[in-house]
Amino acid sequence: MTSLISVVLAVTPTPDPDFDPNTVTPGVVGFLAIFFVAVATVLLCLDVVRRIRRTTYRAEIKERLDAELAARDADPDAPKDDKRE
């Protein structure tokens, strides 16, 4: 383990004295990479919201249909549908 640390320390170059770490930027490539990640994230979020809405609407419609069937079955004067039984 000590030999690995000494190798890493020996290989590490000394920084250039004219190098200013405050002026280093990722450049256009870094901007484009982050931009595409942000666009992909927004599109995924929109897709998830759409799928959740669709599932919620389907559950609401199923509850309404079940309530209508229960109300129809509870009413003795309602005409019975022969196809259902």
Side-chain angles (χ1 to χ4, degrees):
M1 184 69 174
T2 307
S3 62
L4 179 64
I5 293 173
S6 62
V7 169
V8 170
L9 291 176
V11 176
T12 306
T14 58
D16 186 16
D18 297 332
F19 178 72
D20 184 13
N22 294 326
T23 61
V24 177
T25 64
V28 175
V29 176
F31 171 77
L32 291 176
I34 297 301
F35 178 76
F36 286 127
V37 168
V39 168
T41 303
V42 168
L43 291 176
L44 283 172
C45 289
L46 290 174
D47 184 53
V48 167
V49 167
R50 182 177 56 94
R51 289 174 187 267
I52 290 172
R53 257 191 216 138
R54 186 185 311 155
T55 303
T56 303
Y57 290 153
R58 285 182 181 169
E60 288 175 4
I61 289 171
K62 185 178 181 314
E63 288 175 6
R64 287 181 191 169
L65 290 174
D66 289 343
E68 287 178 9
L69 287 175
R72 188 188 71 186
D73 290 343
D75 186 13
D77 297 332
K80 298 293 180 185
D81 188 10
D82 293 336
K83 295 178 189 174
R84 194 165 173 254
E85 295 181 43

